[in-house]
Amino acid sequence: MNKKVIVLYMLSVLSYILMVGINAYANILPLNGQTTGEISDRFNVLFTPAGYVFSIWSVIYVLLAVWLIYLLFPKSVNHNVFQKTGIWFVVSSLLNAAWIVLWHYEYFNWTLVVMVGLLLSLIILYSFIQRSSGKRLLDRLPFSIYLGWVSVATIVNTGVVLEHNQWKGWGLSDVSWTLVLLFAGTMLAIVFSWKNDDLAFPLVFIWAYIGIAVKQQEYPSIQYTAIGMAVVIGALFIYTLNVRRRNKLL
């Protein structure tokens, strides 16, 4: 393992510890006297899923930890995927931690700037993985789920900032905008999954949409649309699985 890779790996581990530590500290202490969820509940953003859905962060952090451990094994940490993506992992981790601090101290406009930065850093990271000929399952899986969830979170964060700034919706109701976003999110999940042959990414949207249906039961149009879109994404998932199986048998 050369020195450059060692430094990059250590920075990755330290940034991961910082990210997880700040997230835990922010909710256990809690930071600025309020948890992340308590702040979110103050905003009536109809795209926000039920609270249990946010447990996906635990899955993401565990998968990232497994990824970091996996890199310690021979022929892992030195391959070209990590050398191209490691710095972007560090950047994404620092942005993740910064978002938490800004959110808890209610700098909502800045949280969207940082969230978009986080989204872009993950897109770049994921793109490097996709273009690499040496990628393995654990190179992509954590970031498929991470990118999927940050895509959903960016939509929610945008809604929070718009409400915070008292945006009037250009004459459309909150329900109408939510329906538009549900359709847009569905198209994103389908196109991204199909283009990248990625089955993990759309599962995040199914998880989020079921959570939206659970939370927004007082808005039947949102509830039923969320369920319907989850079914559509799920149908694509099953179809893609069947295509893969047929191809393996040929």
Side-chain angles (χ1 to χ4, degrees), residues 81-99:
V81 178
F82 176 67
Q83 294 192 55
K84 291 179 179 178
T85 59
I87 188 62
W88 290 106
F89 175 75
V90 173
V91 170
S92 66
S93 299
L94 294 177
L95 289 171
N96 186 313
W99 185 91

Side-chain angles (χ1 to χ4, degrees), residues 7-17 68 82 86 89-90:
V7 171
L8 186 56
Y9 182 76
M10 293 306 299
L11 286 174
S12 298
V13 172
L14 290 173
S15 64
Y16 172 83
I17 292 172
L68 286 169
F82 176 67
F89 175 75
V90 173

Side-chain angles (χ1 to χ4, degrees), residues 143-160:
F143 300 104
S144 295
I145 296 175
Y146 196 178
L147 178 56
W149 180 247
V150 170
S151 298
V152 173
T154 301
I155 297 173
V156 176
N157 201 161
T158 301
V160 167

Side-chain angles (χ1 to χ4, degrees), residues 108-185:
F108 296 119
N109 292 337
W110 282 106
T111 63
L112 183 56
V113 174
V114 172
M115 181 65 79
V116 171
L118 173 57
L119 178 64
L120 291 175
S121 67
L122 291 174
I123 289 173
I124 294 170
L125 189 158
Y126 186 94
S127 297
F128 276 127
I129 293 173
Q130 280 299 96
R131 291 199 300 266
S132 173
S133 59
K135 65 176 179 289
R136 308 173 188 178
L137 175 63
L138 274 177
D139 287 318
R140 187 172 76 165
L141 179 61
F143 300 104
S144 295
I145 296 175
Y146 196 178
L147 178 56
W149 180 247
V150 170
S151 298
V152 173
T154 301
I155 297 173
V156 176
N157 201 161
T158 301
V160 167
V161 170
L162 290 175
E163 183 176 330
H164 175 67
N165 288 284
Q166 300 181 338
W167 184 61
K168 301 303 181 182
W170 291 333
L172 287 178
S173 67
D174 291 346
V175 171
S176 297
W177 273 113
T178 304
L179 297 178
V180 170
L181 291 173
L182 286 169
F183 281 107

Side-chain angles (χ1 to χ4, degrees), residues 166-215:
Q166 300 181 338
W167 184 61
K168 301 303 181 182
W170 291 333
L172 287 178
S173 67
D174 291 346
V175 171
S176 297
W177 273 113
T178 304
L179 297 178
V180 170
L181 291 173
L182 286 169
F183 281 107
T186 300
M187 292 304 300
L188 172 62
I190 291 173
V191 172
F192 186 96
S193 174
W194 193 262
K195 181 179 179 181
N196 296 288
D197 192 25
D198 190 329
L199 290 176
F201 185 89
L203 291 179
V204 176
F205 280 80
I206 294 174
W207 173 253
Y209 280 16
I210 292 173
I212 292 171
V214 169
K215 182 168 184 177

